[in-house]
């Protein structure tokens, strides 16, 4: 045998996710010496691929730099590929044999698979591919975790019958982002925030995700899910829980996730008054992709009313947050790429400055691009003037931490799986609550088919969304 310590299995190795995300991530971790020594990799999929062919598929996404050629070779030397079906036990026995040939080791299965084969694969893994003795097995799964509460529960029950919760790693890659992980430190490591982090001082919280491109050929997948399932129910809601949760007793995964679940339990399902839905149309003056609207994508069904943009106000009905809207906004084909959190504070009481210049304080946590934390605040206009003007206390990572290479979200998360840390993974009860919140709205939309408001590719989204922000106590200041 090879005396392997760990074998990392990529189930669905010939697919898109594997070549674009998983193999490149494993390569970066290997290159930077972050993986445990004697880690091997085995890809598994239906296609009769050779290792050189698989390598060729992945290389364009691996960002190999000059001088790293030998290292890449060394990486691929640790890789094997096994072709097999997703439903025949004999094939999984062959896979198991390939793992056993590496020696007695811990096993990590990354399921980069279409939902349709998910159940048969997990059944077979459980039946023939689990590690033995004192070695562990961990299973990494990706969304979609169902499409509503009932289907997600079915999937959860299926998995719970096969694996222990400690063996399951549900990925929400937003939990692997630097600034999302920073929320806990910001909130619980600073004396100044805890006394003001509540309904007495905070007017509204905005969590937004903007993307400057459309479906890019993923229209078929996207249309079945829509922006609410694709981004809001998972990524934005996860950020909300970290902004709103109480301080956990420790930084242990269970303590943190217990608090996140409590927040989710305090959120009622939104109704249509709390929602703006949009769908992009082509910009006749735009260039390239921008000319095409969502319905022009040939993989999108004709006349689809699937939203590509949504603003939803959620209300956390607990003592800390009662009355403070949490406005979640996400959209495709908008004017910029941006993900950020804005905590807007209440007006200063009894403003004494002439001209009504005093604006609300706002704490902005920019997740991407270029990570930053800044506090919008009032300061005297420098020089002879006695006026107050808006300025910022600014912690922009690019200028403050010049030499730090920010790891990609997937790098951190995959490393966490090796380490056995579930802090940044979604627990089954979090998933349950997330679907509980959004399912009534999703079902309503599916049944009533409200027509989304058209917005032009490359715009800010429907103007109705900006009006909505005002209604929910967010004062426009600058761009957001
Ligand atoms: C994914 C969504 O979960 O997140 C995509 O399915 C979206 O539609 C992506 O583009 C955004 O991730 P990131 O890390 O580029 O912001």
């Amino acid at each position: 045998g090879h005396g392997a310590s760990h074998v990392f299995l990529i189930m669905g190795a010939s697919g898109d996710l594997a070549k674009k995300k998983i193999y490149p991530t494993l390569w970066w971790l290997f290159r930077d010496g972050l993986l445990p020594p004697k880690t091997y990799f085995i890809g598994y999929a239906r296609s009769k691929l050779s290792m050189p062919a698989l390598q060729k598929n992945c290389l364009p996404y691996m960002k190999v730099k000059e001088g790293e050629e030998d290292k890449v070779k060394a990486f691929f030397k640790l890789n094997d590929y096994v072709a097999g079906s997703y439903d025949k036990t004999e094939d999984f026995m062959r896979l198991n044999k390939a793992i056993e040939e590496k020696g007695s080791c811990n096993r990590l299965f990354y399921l980069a698979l279409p939902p349709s084969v998910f159940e048969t694969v997990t059944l077979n893994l459980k039946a023939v591919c689990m590690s033995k003795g004192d070695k562990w097995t961990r299973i990494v799964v990706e969304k979609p975790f169902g499409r509503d509460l009932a289907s997600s529960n079915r999937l959860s029950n299926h998995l719970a019958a096969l694996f222990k919760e400690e063996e399951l790693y549900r990925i929400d890659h937003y939990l692997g982002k630097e600034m999302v992980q920073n929320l806990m430190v910001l909130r619980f490591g600073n004396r100044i925030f805890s006394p003001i982090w509540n309904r007495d001082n905070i007017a509204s919280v905005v969590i937004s995700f903007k993307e400057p491109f459309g479906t890019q050929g993923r229209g078929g997948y996207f249309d079945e899910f829509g922006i609410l399932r694709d981004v809001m129910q998972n990524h934005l809601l996860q950020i909300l829980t970290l902004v709103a949760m109480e301080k956990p007793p420790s930084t242990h995964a269970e303590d943190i996730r217990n608090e996140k679940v409590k927040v989710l339990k305090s959120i009622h399902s939104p109704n249509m008054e709390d929602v703006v839905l949009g769908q992009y149309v082509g910009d006749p003056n735009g260039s390239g992709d921008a000319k095409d609207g969502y319905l022009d994508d040939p993989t999108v069904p004709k006349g689809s009313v699937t939203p590509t943009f949504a603003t939803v106000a959620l209300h956390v009905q607990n003592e800390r947050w009662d009355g403070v809207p949490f406005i979640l906004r996400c959209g495709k084909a908008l004017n910029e790429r941006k993900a950020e959190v804005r905590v807007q504070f209440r007006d200063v009481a009894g403003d004494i400055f002439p001209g009504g210049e005093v604006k609300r304080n706002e704490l902005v946590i920019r997740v991407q691009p270029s990570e930053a934390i800044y506090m919008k605040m009032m300061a005297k206009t420098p020089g002879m003037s006695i006026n107050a003007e808006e300025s910022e206390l600014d912690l922009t990572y690019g200028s403050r931490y010049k030499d730090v290479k920010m790891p990609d979200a997937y790098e951190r998360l995959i490393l966490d799986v090796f380490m056995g840390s579930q802090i940044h993974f979604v627990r089954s009860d979090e998933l349950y609550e997330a679907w509980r919140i959004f399912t009534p709205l999703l079902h309503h939309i599916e049944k009533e088919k409200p027509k989304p408001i058209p917005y032009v590719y490359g715009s800010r989204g429907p103007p109705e969304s900006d009006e909505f922000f005002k209604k929910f106590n967010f004062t426009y200041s600058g761009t957001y």
Side-chain angles (χ1 to χ4, degrees):
H2 301 59
S5 65
H6 298 74
V7 174
F8 190 103
L9 294 115
I10 304 99
M11 307 300 290
S14 61
D16 233 40
L17 182 66
K19 80 173 176 205
K20 288 188 181 153
K21 268 277 122 88
I22 313 309
Y23 279 106
T25 302
L26 292 171
W27 151 242
W28 296 322
L29 290 173
F30 172 82
R31 180 198 60 194
D32 297 342
L34 295 169
L35 294 174
K38 297 207 165 285
T39 296
Y40 289 80
F41 314 91
I42 301 178
Y44 184 86
R46 280 182 294 219
S47 338
K48 293 233 166 355
L49 270 180
S50 64
M51 206 44 236
L54 183 63
Q55 175 171 343
K56 213 172 138 222
N57 289 348
C58 299
L59 268 174
Y61 303 96
M62 287 169 50
K63 300 184 195 147
V64 177
K65 296 194 214 91
E66 237 179 84
E68 290 176 346
E69 294 79 5
D70 286 350
K71 246 192 174 161
V72 177
K73 270 196 202 135
F75 171 68
F76 279 111
K77 264 196 138 149
L78 301 170
N79 271 271
D80 281 322
Y81 177 78
V82 175
S85 71
Y86 289 137
D87 52 2
K88 293 202 187 67
T89 306
E90 312 89 85
D91 292 345
F92 285 85
M93 287 166 89
R94 272 196 299 118
L95 175 62
N96 188 52
K97 208 160 152 264
I99 307 170
E100 276 176 350
E101 275 166 17
K102 310 266 178 229
S104 162
C105 57
N106 298 317
R107 302 177 180 197
L108 301 82
F109 289 93
Y110 199 108
L111 306 193
L113 295 166
S116 54
V117 300
F118 194 80
E119 299 204 359
T120 59
V121 170
T122 44
L123 281 168
N124 277 301
L125 291 182
K126 175 66 183 183
V128 287
C129 292
M130 302 293 280
S131 57
K132 298 183 187 70
D134 60 346
K135 304 297 179 195
W136 47 252
T137 301
R138 293 179 184 148
I139 314 277
V140 188
V141 289
E142 281 261 0
K143 77 161 200 276
F145 304 117
R147 56 189 329 279
D148 60 7
L149 187 57
S151 53
S152 167
N153 285 349
R154 270 198 302 279
L155 197 61
S156 293
N157 291 339
H158 168 83
L159 287 173
L162 301 176
F163 310 109
K164 295 195 222 72
E165 183 67 22
E166 306 86 77
E167 294 173 322
L168 286 170
Y169 288 72
R170 292 180 200 82
I171 287 217
D172 180 315
H173 79 285
Y174 266 62
L175 294 178
K177 293 192 186 257
E178 181 72 27
M179 299 316 271
V180 176
Q181 298 194 350
N182 202 0
L183 284 166
M184 287 249 305
V185 179
L186 194 66
R187 287 193 53 202
F188 304 124
N190 289 297
R191 180 68 176 88
I192 55 166
F193 292 127
S194 59
I196 58 171
W197 209 259
N198 54 43
R199 63 194 300 269
D200 301 329
N201 297 288
I202 292 175
S204 56
V205 177
V206 174
I207 302 171
S208 53
F209 166 95
K210 299 166 85 182
E211 231 169 32
F213 48 83
T215 46
Q216 295 189 315
R218 273 170 90 229
Y221 153 81
F222 188 87
D223 201 74
E224 276 182 47
F225 292 91
I227 198 76
L228 290 167
R229 290 182 178 92
D230 190 45
V231 175
M232 191 181 283
Q233 180 265 1
N234 39 43
H235 306 326
L236 298 192
L237 191 61
Q238 280 292 332
I239 296 178
L240 183 155
T241 61
L242 292 166
V243 172
M245 73 179 187
E246 299 299 313
K247 186 175 182 168
S250 82
T251 56
H252 292 143
E254 298 320 318
D255 285 338
I256 293 170
R257 298 189 299 177
N258 288 344
E259 295 304 334
K260 290 169 73 185
V261 169
K262 282 190 212 157
V263 171
L264 293 170
K265 283 187 169 167
S266 306
I267 301 176
H268 294 211
S269 300
N271 52 39
M272 286 303 278
E273 280 101 78
D274 293 335
V275 177
V276 176
L277 301 175
Q279 188 185 74
Y280 66 91
V281 296
D283 174 4
N285 304 317
S287 60
D289 272 358
K291 281 205 168 31
D292 291 333
Y294 181 66
L295 295 177
D296 300 319
D297 179 333
T299 61
V300 168
K302 286 215 164 34
S304 165
V305 291
T306 299
T308 61
F309 175 100
T311 300
V312 174
L314 292 179
H315 306 280
V316 183
Q317 311 284 43
N318 63 17
E319 195 165 353
R320 183 184 292 275
W321 295 117
D322 192 5
V324 181
F326 283 77
I327 309 170
L328 311 189
R329 170 184 58 168
C330 48
K332 300 235 165 220
L334 295 176
N335 57 336
E336 59 183 348
R337 168 172 150 91
K338 194 177 264 183
E340 63 179 19
V341 179
R342 284 176 186 266
V343 178
Q344 191 168 90
F345 292 89
R346 291 187 181 280
D347 292 320
V348 167
D351 177 10
I352 58 166
F353 301 104
E357 297 138 316
V358 169
K359 298 214 176 88
R360 287 178 170 181
N361 291 129
E362 199 171 289
L363 177 66
V364 182
I365 297 125
R366 189 162 66 224
V367 176
Q368 63 194 32
S370 58
E371 294 87 348
I373 302 169
Y374 54 97
M375 173 69 96
K376 293 189 158 198
M377 52 173 282
M378 300 304 296
K380 190 183 92 59
T381 304
M384 288 298 194
S385 164
I386 54 152
N387 291 335
E389 66 174 40
E390 191 174 60
S391 190
E392 292 102 35
L393 284 177
D394 181 3
L395 175 60
T396 294
Y397 275 44
S399 42
R400 180 67 177 76
Y401 303 109
K402 284 199 186 63
D403 304 322
V404 182
K405 174 200 164 259
M406 282 305 168
D408 176 74
Y410 273 86
E411 286 180 73
R412 284 186 225 258
L413 295 178
I414 287 185
L415 208 53
D416 281 348
V417 182
F418 275 93
M419 303 306 164
S421 167
Q422 290 189 306
I423 294 180
H424 307 299
F425 292 83
V426 181
R427 205 167 65 183
S428 69
D429 49 353
E430 285 180 76
L431 184 62
Y432 174 92
E433 290 299 331
W435 280 120
R436 198 245 333 128
I437 293 167
F438 280 99
T439 294
L441 176 65
L442 290 164
H443 283 179
H444 174 88
I445 292 172
E446 256 151 31
K447 195 157 152 268
E448 304 296 330
K449 300 202 182 334
K451 232 179 135 19
I453 303 165
Y455 62 95
V456 178
Y457 196 124
S459 68
R460 286 176 50 77
E464 284 82 347
S465 170
D466 287 333
E467 287 305 310
F468 181 95
F469 274 67
K470 285 188 206 140
K471 183 172 120 197
F472 283 102
N473 213 3
F474 180 81
T475 309
Y476 178 84
S477 60
T479 57
Y480 67 95

